[in-house]
Amino acid sequence: MITIGQLAGYVGVSIKTVRVYHDKGLLPEPNRDASGYRRYGANDAIDLIKIRTLAEAGVSLARIRDLRSATDEEFQQALREIDDELTARIRGLRATQGRLRQLAAGHLTPLPPEVGTHLERLDRWGFTPRWVELQRDLWILVFATHPDRAIALFHDQAEILADPALRQLFLDYDHAHDLDAHDPRIDDLARRITGATRERYGRDELPELDEASDIAALIQGAVNASSPAWQRLDTLIRTELDP
C-alpha cells in the first residue's frame, strides 16, 4: 500500500491532479488507515494510469467518469472511437504544421499551376499589376478556406474572362479604381455588370460559397477597402441584384 504522493509519483501526475480526480468522481478515494493516511493499492495505480492516458488523449473528465461504469465491450468501443478522433486530429495537426512551414519559408497556401497561368494571362490582357496581385491574394484566401469549392469557383471565373466582352467588364472594373466614387461611369459600369450577371446566371442562381461563410464578405471587403469607387460600384451592384 502506498501514499497519495507515492501514487502520484509512480503514475507521473501531481498530488493535486489525483485530488481533482477524487473530487470529480473518477478515482475512488480510499479510507484512512489507523495513522490517518489514505493508502492506495495496485488497482488504484492501474485506474489512475487509465485516467491519465485518456485525459492526455483529450477525453473530457465527464466522459472518463462515464466510462468507469462501461462494460468491457463498451470500453473497447470507446477506445476505438477515441483512437479514430486522435487520428483525425493528428492529420489536421500535420496539415497545420505543413502550412506553418510554408509560412516560415515565405509561402502561403500554394495555388494550383492553372491559377498561376491564369494570373500571368491577366497581365497580358492588360490588367494592372494591382489587380493581378489582388487576384492572387484572394485566390490564396479562397483555396485556403474553401478547398472543396475553390477550383470550381476558379474555373467559373476563368470561363468568364475567356469571353472578350465579359473580360472587358473586368478590365473596366480594374481601371475604375482611381475614378471619383460619383463619376457617372461608375453607374454605367454597375448597370453593365448586373446585366451580364443576370444573363449568365439568371436571377436565382448567383454563384456563392455558402450562406454561413464570411469569406465572400471578407474578400469583397478587401476589394472595397482599396478604392471608394470600387466600394460604390459594389453597393450599386448589390442593390440591383438583391431580390
Side-chain angles (χ1 to χ4, degrees):
M1 304 296 289
I2 56 177
T3 65
I4 187 172
Q6 291 170 318
L7 174 69
Y10 291 153
V11 176
V13 298
S14 66
I15 293 176
K16 180 179 179 180
T17 297
V18 176
R19 287 177 174 152
V20 167
Y21 293 161
H22 285 327
D23 293 340
K24 298 293 184 180
L26 277 70
L27 184 69
E29 192 171 9
N31 295 323
R32 298 183 184 274
D33 62 13
S35 303
Y37 292 100
R38 298 190 188 280
R39 299 289 181 174
Y40 298 82
N43 287 337
D44 297 310
I46 292 171
D47 286 345
L48 185 55
I49 289 171
K50 290 179 180 178
I51 295 168
R52 184 204 65 187
T53 302
L54 291 170
E56 288 177 346
V59 182
S60 69
L61 297 186
R63 187 177 182 187
I64 295 174
R65 183 176 58 247
D66 292 340
L67 288 175
R68 282 188 51 78
S69 59
T71 65
D72 184 64
E73 182 179 350
E74 291 171 339
F75 186 73
Q76 292 300 321
Q77 176 61 31
L79 291 182
R80 287 191 290 270
E81 292 173 359
I82 294 167
D83 185 80
D84 290 341
E85 292 167 7
L86 274 176
T87 299
R89 284 165 52 194
I90 291 170
R91 188 181 301 115
L93 286 171
R94 285 176 176 165
T96 300
Q97 183 184 52
R99 291 193 294 271
L100 181 64
R101 289 174 176 173
Q102 290 173 357
L103 184 61
H107 304 293
L108 294 175
T109 301
L111 292 171
E114 60 185 309
V115 179
T117 301
H118 171 74
L119 294 174
E120 293 174 359
R121 193 178 296 122
L122 293 180
D123 180 63
R124 295 197 301 271
W125 280 336
F127 286 92
T128 64
R130 174 192 58 239
W131 180 270
V132 176
E133 182 177 352
L134 177 63
Q135 291 298 305
R136 177 186 63 82
D137 291 346
L138 296 184
W139 282 119
I140 286 174
L141 187 58
V142 172
F143 274 89
T145 56
H146 289 75
D148 56 328
R149 297 288 311 282
I151 197 66
L153 291 167
F154 167 73
H155 285 159
D156 183 69
Q157 188 184 88
E159 183 180 326
I160 290 173
L161 291 176
D163 183 318
L166 296 178
R167 182 165 68 243
Q168 187 60 52
L169 287 178
F170 278 82
L171 281 165
D172 291 345
Y173 197 121
D174 176 15
H175 296 140
H177 180 276
D178 297 325
L179 293 178
D180 182 273
H182 298 285
D183 190 304
R185 286 173 288 182
I186 298 295
D187 298 80
D188 177 65
L189 179 57
R191 283 191 293 269
R192 289 190 287 132
I193 290 176
T194 54
T197 301
R198 285 203 185 98
E199 183 177 350
R200 179 173 178 80
Y201 300 107
R203 289 183 173 271
D204 302 320
E205 299 180 1
L206 298 181
E208 58 183 12
L209 291 173
D210 57 69
E211 293 181 357
S213 174
D214 292 329
I215 196 65
L218 180 63
I219 290 173
Q220 192 60 53
V223 172
N224 293 346
S226 66
S227 165
W230 279 356
Q231 184 173 17
R232 183 164 181 269
L233 186 56
D234 176 54
T235 300
L236 291 172
I237 293 170
R238 287 177 181 274
T239 300
E240 184 66 23
L241 289 178
D242 282 344

